[in-house]
Amino acid sequence: MQEPEKTNLYLVPTPIGNLEDITLRAIRVLKEVDVILAEDTRTSGKLLQHLGIEKRMHSHHLHNEHKASAHLAERMKAGEVMALISDAGTPGISDPGFLLVRECLKNGLKVECLPGATAFVPALVKSGFSTDRFTFEGFLPLKKGRQTRLISLAQEERTMIFYESPHRLLKTLTQFKEYFGGDREVSVSREISKMFEETINGTLDELIEIFTTKAIKGEFVLVLAGAGAK
């Protein structure tokens, strides 16, 4: 009987808030691999300590991913098994991972992604907007290309999902109003799976008014109804 192909790199989702949101399989894999690649070893160190896992960690983030990926692939070819985790959620979704995965595949290495926590799925599902077809836009460009992206999405009929930081939330909602119209429906979720989780639904006009006076804290997921949606 042929043995299953060995996995060289595991992409392991970690909790986005509530520490109970990690699978038994994820815990087992983190215990079994040779090395854990972490976006921030300090943040991940606290999680591993909570889970009772003692394992070598290497820093792997957006600033060193270009240089490190080829070297890490060579180490995996030599026999090391690695797991990649981000500070929160699924690696590669607005977090490091894409370049390393591409390098592994280029070298014929097996990559396995475990299912698990990610912020945009709960925000989308509880928005009440259509989930049949949607587009994940992540973080909009900060400057160059931002206007072009918004113009290109003005007539998008699918539900749109964005990530946003607290200090840019109001600016982004105001720009959405400019390009999509103040009566466009939007759902804003913050601190998903955490103690102060909150979702507010309404039109862009209504949410701009709310967040003009409301304290803005936490990480946000914005779910915007598509053009023509009712």
Side-chain angles (χ1 to χ4, degrees):
M1 184 175 179
Q2 187 176 5
E3 291 187 5
E5 185 182 0
K6 175 184 175 181
T7 298
N8 305 99
L9 174 67
Y10 291 93
L11 306 177
V12 181
T14 54
I16 58 176
N18 192 316
L19 293 180
E20 294 180 352
D21 292 336
I22 189 165
T23 67
L24 296 174
R25 182 182 175 203
I27 295 171
R28 175 181 60 77
V29 167
L30 292 176
K31 288 180 177 178
E32 291 178 352
V33 296
D34 299 310
V35 181
I36 295 175
L37 307 174
E39 185 179 4
D40 186 325
T41 55
R42 294 166 299 180
T43 300
S44 297
K46 295 175 183 177
L47 174 65
L48 296 182
Q49 184 178 23
H50 172 78
L51 297 173
I53 298 173
E54 295 184 8
K55 189 68 58 172
R56 276 192 301 149
M57 281 195 296
H58 290 319
S59 180
H60 188 81
H61 47 70
L62 291 174
H63 302 294
N64 71 0
E65 189 175 17
H66 278 86
K67 294 181 179 180
S69 294
H71 173 65
L72 292 171
E74 287 299 321
R75 287 175 54 180
M76 284 183 261
K77 286 172 70 175
E80 284 188 90
V81 178
M82 300 186 181
L84 174 65
I85 59 177
S86 62
D87 289 348
T90 301
I93 304 296
S94 294
D95 281 322
F98 163 69
L99 293 176
L100 182 58
V101 169
R102 187 171 65 177
E103 189 68 28
C104 287
L105 297 179
K106 188 172 74 174
N107 283 274
L109 298 168
K110 183 179 178 182
V111 178
E112 196 166 346
C113 183
L114 277 60
T118 190
F120 78 82
V121 173
L124 169 64
V125 172
K126 68 178 183 172
S127 71
F129 301 152
S130 173
T131 58
D132 293 341
R133 299 171 67 241
F134 59 89
T135 174
F136 174 71
E137 295 295 324
F139 288 98
L140 287 167
L142 296 182
K143 294 180 181 178
K144 186 178 180 181
R146 189 179 180 93
Q147 183 181 32
T148 303
R149 178 79 63 82
L150 289 169
I151 290 173
S152 72
L153 292 172
Q155 299 305 316
E156 174 60 66
E157 295 183 351
R158 294 171 294 179
T159 301
M160 292 166 276
I161 306 164
F162 304 85
Y163 285 164
E164 195 51 277
S165 64
H167 65 275
R168 285 196 300 267
L169 175 67
L170 196 53
K171 174 184 177 181
T172 297
L173 290 174
T174 303
Q175 288 180 320
F176 281 0
K177 175 181 176 178
E178 178 183 350
Y179 290 93
F180 306 127
D183 60 348
R184 182 73 69 92
E185 294 286 333
V186 64
S187 176
V188 174
S189 294
R190 72 179 187 97
E191 300 291 83
I192 290 175
S193 87
K194 299 180 183 177
M195 183 180 296
F196 298 105
E197 178 176 348
E198 180 181 34
T199 296
I200 303 176
N201 294 344
T203 64
L204 284 167
D205 279 335
E206 290 169 343
L207 265 67
I208 289 170
E209 183 177 352
I210 289 171
F211 283 107
T212 298
T213 57
K214 182 180 176 65
I216 302 177
K217 297 180 180 179
E219 298 299 318
F220 289 83
V221 183
L222 284 59
V223 184
L224 191 69
K230 295 183 180 179

